[in-house]
Amino acid sequence: MNRVLSGIQPTGELHIGNYLGAVKNWIEMVKANETFYTIVDLHALTIPQDPYQLRTRTLATAASLLALGLDPKRCTLFIQSHVPEHTSLSWLLECTASMGELSRMIQFKEKGGKRESVKVGLFTYPVLQAADILLYQANQVPIGEDQLQHLELTRDIAKRFNHHYSKVFVVPEAVLPKHATRVMDLQYPNQKMSKSGNSSLGTVFILDEPSVIERKIKKAVTDAGSEVVYDPKKKPGVSNLLELLAASLPSGKAPTELAGDYPSYSTLKAATSEALIELLRPVRRSYTELISDQSELEAILKMGAVKARGVASATLSVAQQAMGLSV
Ligand code: TRP
């Protein structure tokens, strides 16, 4: 059986791109693997955060994952900061990683790594990520393409540690989900959908009311011509709607097949908003229940942290001994 670990930032309300691009695959992987999923609040601290908002968003992210269908009895879902082994191992690994290799991380450079005021935590962010993965001896790490470089670094750190000390860590592999949908912004269909897109109409959140979903889809940018065809290069707007429709319908039909079923952009839009509304209706109901009973939510997360610590503390202790710490 594979051991799987992945992490998600505590952004709070998730959007349909998070679900179809990542979380849906996480839920799928629970069925046949031993899965660990963590909400990375320690990573969130590497950029300025309002303390109240961070706490609220962390819980909202947890409730969203559960509402989308992640079963906490079959996977281990936990908040990163609840498992102190992450920061402990991170320090050990920081003492094996070099300034040079961390300086090459694209995410660090993009987030303004040259500025004097940039926090040290942003620089060492990928080492904490390596600790997240290596603590659980995960062999598979589902991630998006933007995280491949961090995974490559994790592999380097693990191999180097195993070679230099003793064989403590499993060297993990990235899993790029085969069926993930790359959901684009509804207003700027050449950009990936994101929480902070250029227009509030561009992003469908999983908790949007039906009327809001309808409006966003109705206003979605389409392309020249009037024929519904799946062609992401020439018709990015229409193709994105077809992708969303295909991923939301239970039929499992591919976007190319669906294209023929709709005689016009407006019929495609009507079908897409209906499918999204139906997909998200039970999610919104379940979220409302979860967030109204915070003690139950906290109990679920505490249970996850206990399970996670069982595995993490064993790995940490082996790593500490391998490095010569007297534990
Ligand atoms: N850096 C990842 C992101 O921004 C989140 C993350 C943290 C992660 N730790 C992880 C992903 C471990 C996979 C495995 O999306």
Side-chain angles (χ1 to χ4, degrees):
M1 206 197 272
N2 288 311
R3 177 72 72 77
V4 172
L5 179 128
S6 197
I8 188 168
Q9 291 276 354
T11 53
E13 209 185 328
L14 303 186
H15 56 72
I16 193 76
N18 298 131
Y19 174 56
L20 298 175
V23 176
K24 196 176 173 188
N25 181 53
W26 283 18
I27 294 167
E28 194 55 39
M29 290 187 100
V30 168
K31 292 181 189 157
N33 304 283
E34 194 180 352
T35 45
F36 292 83
Y37 297 127
T38 180
I39 300 165
V40 295
D41 56 347
L42 295 170
H43 277 111
L45 292 177
T46 59
I47 53 172
Q49 298 285 346
D50 172 74
Y52 171 79
Q53 261 192 4
L54 177 59
R55 194 173 301 120
T56 314
R57 287 180 177 167
T58 301
L59 283 181
T61 303
S64 300
L65 294 174
L66 296 168
L68 285 166
L70 203 62
D71 181 352
K73 291 198 195 73
R74 296 177 67 191
C75 71
T76 302
L77 174 67
F78 64 101
I79 294 176
Q80 186 187 31
S81 66
H82 289 183
V83 181
E85 285 77 5
H86 289 244
T87 39
S88 300
L89 182 63
S90 189
W91 174 258
L92 303 188
L93 300 181
E94 274 178 38
C95 296
T96 73
S98 70
M99 295 289 287
E101 60 188 348
L102 294 186
S103 305
R104 286 192 288 277
M105 294 294 117
I106 295 161
Q107 188 170 307
F108 174 70
K109 289 195 255 183
E110 280 177 357
K111 285 193 178 172
K114 282 211 191 73
R115 274 181 284 127
E116 187 75 2
S117 61
V118 140
K119 303 297 178 255
V120 177
L122 191 69
F123 185 63
T124 57
Y125 177 118
V127 184
L128 179 60
Q129 184 165 350
D132 296 342
I133 298 165
L134 300 179
L135 272 178
Y136 299 91
Q137 306 288 12
N139 63 323
Q140 295 202 340
V141 184
I143 42 171
E145 287 199 26
D146 63 324
Q147 294 297 315
L148 281 175
Q149 199 190 23
H150 287 168
L151 198 88
E152 212 39 58
L153 177 77
T154 303
R155 290 168 56 83
D156 289 344
I157 289 176
K159 285 187 220 159
R160 194 184 307 139
F161 191 104
N162 288 347
H163 179 76
H164 194 78
Y165 298 103
S166 57
K167 206 183 160 309
V168 172
F169 298 120
V170 168
V171 181
E173 263 161 42
V175 191
L176 294 172
K178 268 186 237 102
H179 303 294
T181 309
R182 206 175 129 86
V183 181
M184 309 305 278
D185 188 291
L186 296 174
Q187 290 297 313
Y188 302 91
N190 292 312
Q191 298 170 10
K192 227 170 112 176
M193 187 181 281
S194 78
K195 191 189 171 189
S196 50
N198 286 322
S199 157
S200 60
L201 286 173
T203 305
V204 174
F205 291 98
I206 61 165
L207 303 177
D208 278 348
E209 305 265 350
S211 62
V212 174
I213 298 178
E214 206 179 324
R215 184 158 48 90
K216 287 178 178 174
I217 298 295
K218 204 173 253 167
K219 298 229 160 138
V221 166
T222 47
D223 314 288
S226 60
E227 206 192 338
V228 176
V229 277
Y230 183 75
D231 182 342
K233 282 226 173 67
K234 291 201 190 113
K235 293 206 172 197
V238 170
S239 302
N240 190 35
L241 292 172
L242 282 165
E243 289 268 12
L244 278 172
L245 178 62
S248 309
L249 283 177
S251 74
K253 269 193 177 178
T256 39
E257 281 177 84
L258 284 171
D261 296 349
Y262 301 94
S264 64
Y265 289 174
S266 64
T267 48
L268 170 64
K269 283 186 167 182
T272 306
S273 72
E274 195 189 308
L276 279 172
I277 288 167
E278 287 319 310
L279 178 75
L280 296 176
R281 194 188 299 283
V283 176
R284 218 152 42 88
R285 199 181 305 129
S286 160
Y287 180 89
T288 313
E289 250 172 56
L290 284 156
I291 213 75
S292 66
D293 185 358
Q294 296 227 343
S295 59
E296 169 67 15
L297 183 59
E298 279 161 13
I300 291 173
L301 294 167
K302 194 164 271 177
M303 177 184 81
V306 170
K307 280 200 277 176
R309 283 198 84 176
V311 179
S313 60
T315 309
L316 176 64
S317 135
V318 179
Q320 286 168 328
Q321 285 173 45
M323 290 181 97
L325 300 175
S326 61
V327 282

